[in-house]
């Protein structure tokens, strides 16, 4: 966030540009930067392919009115707060596995064009670069993994580090208490399409202060235990080349497998936006009671029947069939509706309604109508009604086996002083023991974006 002071000159606020800034919410309003001509640096289409949110929102310290860069202002001695896309966080629905993870947009310091995006997990993240003017991001990333495990505990951008650089970074992180010894570095070449829906939430409306959507990170090559690679080997890995170490260490997807994974609906959902109170950027604004928001929601189902090591596959399938479930593994499916609502009751109770059945955008592929009620004490009521088109998507007994610490909602309200838009996420995760070492997982993620109804 940067502060601008309008002196006797005109502050030219033109479409979608701007310099960089830190997320200095609540910084001293007397901090002043006098900008030069910011006009003409970036076109609307440069960023619109990723999000329709304003690339920058400028608010005056003595005004409730937001100013986009399409405006021109002539005032003397007024301090302005400038917030850009890079200042906001897009929160992931899968908060349990990402440790309250979020996406954060990176912009060019001089032009304001979206250049990269970072997925922060457990407080650490690494930016991946944008592919031209598309919504695809890619880049090599180093992950620190504890020996014998697959989950990364630290990620950092791959900027050309040598094995010696990685060894020094590992030592520094151990000294800082951020990682434990007894691990190694992996290098992955990761690709990720970021898709947002705020541009069309129904009834010809779009969002400008919030957005929601999905991303699906897929690695094309993974090189395990790169701590001892030579500089030439590191360079080859960054280019996705085969290092001749065998498939156990170097996993390289075929073009067909990679494209299939990129096209799969194995989404992670997110939502977030600008919540500006005065000249401070907050996580969310406070909604008013007795109000309703209307717009669009996306839901993503994941379900599978798995078995412990040593359990025969025939046993797994028999247990699934006996319980009335499909024995298929890794079923993923997404659903949308442009008839979603968020209602704030007289006592502040928040009710999210996502009718993926009765008002599905695709009548040939229906899920459930999902109602989530969050009471003032934080308790959450869940209701699924209707019947999915595909029996494989049936909830069965899932709602009886909800894992509470891996389920929950993240409701948000966005705008400038007035909570004019609502966006947020939800996740329900169920783990049902079918006996004999066989389990059924059933996970539903939801994300939505809506406008206040008057």
């Amino acid at each position: 966030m940067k502060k601008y002071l309008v002196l006797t000159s005109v502050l030219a606020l033109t479409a979608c540009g701007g310099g960089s800034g830190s997320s200095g919410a609540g910084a001293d309003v007397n901090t002043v930067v006098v900008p030069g001509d910011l006009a003409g640096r970036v076109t609307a289409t440069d960023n619109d392919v990723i999000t329709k949110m304003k690339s920058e929102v400028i608010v005056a310290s003595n005004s409730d009115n937001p100013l986009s860069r399409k405006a021109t202002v002539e005032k003397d001695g007024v301090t302005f707060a400038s917030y850009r896309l890079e200042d906001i966080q897009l929160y992931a629905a899968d908060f349990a596995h990402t440790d309250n993870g979020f996406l954060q947009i990176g912009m060019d310091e001089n032009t304001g064009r979206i250049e990269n995006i970072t997925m922060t997990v457990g407080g650490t993240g690494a930016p991946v670069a944008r592919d031209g003017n598309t919504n695809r991001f890619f880049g090599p990333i180093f992950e620190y993994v504890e020996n014998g495990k697959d989950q990364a505990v630290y990620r950092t951008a791959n900027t050309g580090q040598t094995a010696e650089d990685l060894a020094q970074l590992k030592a520094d992180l151990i000294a800082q208490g951020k990682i434990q010894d007894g691990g190694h570095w992996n290098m992955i070449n990761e690709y990720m399409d970021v898709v947002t829906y705020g541009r069309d939430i129904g009834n010809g409306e779009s969002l400008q202060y919030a957005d929601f959507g999905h991303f699906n990170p897929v690695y094309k090559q993974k090189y395990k235990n790169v701590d001892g690679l030579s500089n030439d080997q590191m360079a080859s890995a960054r280019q996705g080349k085969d290092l001749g170490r065998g498939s156990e260490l170097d996993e390289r997807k075929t073009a067909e497998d990679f494209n299939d994974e990129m096209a799969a609906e194995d989404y992670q959902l997110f939502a977030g936006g600008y919540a500006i109170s005065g000249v401070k950027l907050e996580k969310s604004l406070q909604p008013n009671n007795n109000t309703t928001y209307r717009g669009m929601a996306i839901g993503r189902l994941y379900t599978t029947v798995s078995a412990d090591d040593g359990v025969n596959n025939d046993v797994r399938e028999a247990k699934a069939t006996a319980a009335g479930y499909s024995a298929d593994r890794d079923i993923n499916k997404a659903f949308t509706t442009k008839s979603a609502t968020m209602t704030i009751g007289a006592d502040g109770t928040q009710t999210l309604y996502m009718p993926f059945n009765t008002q599905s955008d695709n009548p040939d592929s229906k899920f459930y109508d999902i109602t989530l009620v969050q009471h003032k004490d934080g308790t959450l009521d869940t209701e699924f009604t209707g019947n999915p088109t595909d029996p494989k998507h049936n909830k069965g007994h899932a709602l009886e086996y909800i894992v509470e610490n891996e389920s929950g909602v993240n409701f948000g309200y966005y705008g400038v002083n007035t909570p004019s838009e609502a966006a947020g996420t939800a996740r329900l995760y169920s783990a049902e023991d079918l006996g004999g070492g066989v389990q059924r997982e059933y996970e539903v993620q939801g994300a939505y974006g809506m406008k206040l109804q008057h």
Side-chain angles (χ1 to χ4, degrees), residues 193-214:
D193 288 347
V194 176
V195 178
T196 58
Y197 292 93
R199 68 192 68 251
D200 179 14
I201 60 171
N203 297 320
E205 294 187 311
S206 61
L207 303 178
Q208 58 180 334
Y209 297 115
D211 214 340
F212 67 107
H214 61 74

Side-chain angles (χ1 to χ4, degrees), residues 58-364:
I58 301 175
V59 290
S61 60
N62 62 345
S63 172
D64 291 343
N65 298 318
L67 304 172
S68 74
R69 285 184 168 253
K70 295 179 181 180
T72 298
V73 179
E74 296 183 26
K75 289 186 179 181
D76 295 336
V78 178
T79 301
F80 285 82
S82 167
Y83 291 100
R84 298 179 173 83
L85 286 171
E86 61 192 347
D87 292 314
I88 66 176
Q89 295 175 351
L90 301 169
Y91 301 100
D94 190 3
F95 60 89
H97 292 160
T98 61
D99 192 11
N100 298 315
F102 57 87
L103 294 176
Q104 193 150 20
I105 291 170
M107 303 170 75
D108 184 273
E109 181 175 353
N110 296 312
T111 68
R113 178 184 180 275
I114 295 175
E115 297 289 347
N116 57 64
I117 201 163
T118 299
M119 176 64 195
T120 297
V121 178
T124 63
V128 287
R130 185 178 177 186
D131 186 2
N133 282 331
T134 72
N135 66 324
R136 175 166 290 186
F137 297 83
F138 69 97
I141 293 174
F142 286 115
E143 294 185 333
Y144 185 78
V145 181
E146 295 176 359
N147 295 335
K149 298 181 180 180
D150 293 324
Q151 186 73 32
V153 295
Y154 187 88
R155 306 179 92 207
T156 187
N158 186 325
T159 57
Q161 296 95 322
T162 65
E164 290 77 13
D165 294 331
L166 292 175
Q168 184 60 56
L169 176 59
K170 176 180 176 180
D172 292 343
L173 292 171
I174 291 173
Q176 296 166 16
K178 293 184 177 180
I179 63 173
Q180 300 294 320
D181 199 0
H184 60 271
W185 292 103
N186 292 343
M187 180 195 295
I188 61 173
N189 292 323
E190 188 171 75
Y191 292 72
M192 181 170 68
D193 288 347
V194 176
V195 178
T196 58
Y197 292 93
R199 68 192 68 251
D200 179 14
I201 60 171
N203 297 320
E205 294 187 311
S206 61
L207 303 178
Q208 58 180 334
Y209 297 115
D211 214 340
F212 67 107
H214 61 74
F215 63 98
N216 178 23
V218 175
Y219 71 85
K220 199 167 188 178
Q221 300 93 16
K222 177 188 285 187
Y223 301 91
K224 299 179 181 179
N225 203 346
V226 298
D227 302 60
L229 294 187
S230 67
N231 291 344
D232 288 343
Q233 287 175 310
M234 286 284 198
S236 295
R238 291 185 181 93
Q239 299 171 26
K241 296 181 178 180
D242 187 355
L243 302 185
R245 302 191 304 165
S247 59
E248 288 296 316
L249 289 175
D250 300 341
E251 299 178 10
R252 306 174 71 248
K253 289 186 172 73
T254 65
E256 181 179 2
D257 288 344
F258 173 75
N259 290 332
D260 286 346
E261 288 195 36
M262 290 296 293
E265 295 179 312
D266 188 14
Y267 301 142
Q268 297 296 314
L269 305 188
F270 64 84
Y274 295 99
I276 301 174
S277 178
V279 292
K280 293 182 179 180
L281 184 66
E282 308 286 357
K283 183 176 181 179
S284 172
L285 298 178
Q286 180 66 36
N288 296 316
N289 294 348
N290 297 311
T291 55
T292 298
Y293 296 80
R294 181 177 295 275
M296 181 180 176
I298 177 174
R300 194 273 288 166
L301 166 72
Y302 166 79
T303 184
T304 190
V305 175
S306 59
D308 294 340
D309 291 342
V311 175
N312 186 284
N313 192 55
D314 291 338
V315 173
R316 184 188 69 84
E317 294 183 355
K319 289 288 185 181
T321 302
Y325 300 134
S326 166
D328 290 358
R329 298 179 187 266
D330 297 338
I331 298 171
N332 293 281
K333 181 63 180 174
F335 307 89
T336 61
T337 177
K338 290 184 178 177
S339 297
T341 59
M342 169 65 81
T343 303
I344 316 300
D347 64 348
T349 297
Q350 302 171 81
T351 301
L352 174 63
Y353 177 58
M354 300 181 289
F356 298 123
N357 186 282
T358 57
Q359 298 181 77
S360 170
D361 288 343
N362 182 1
D364 296 325

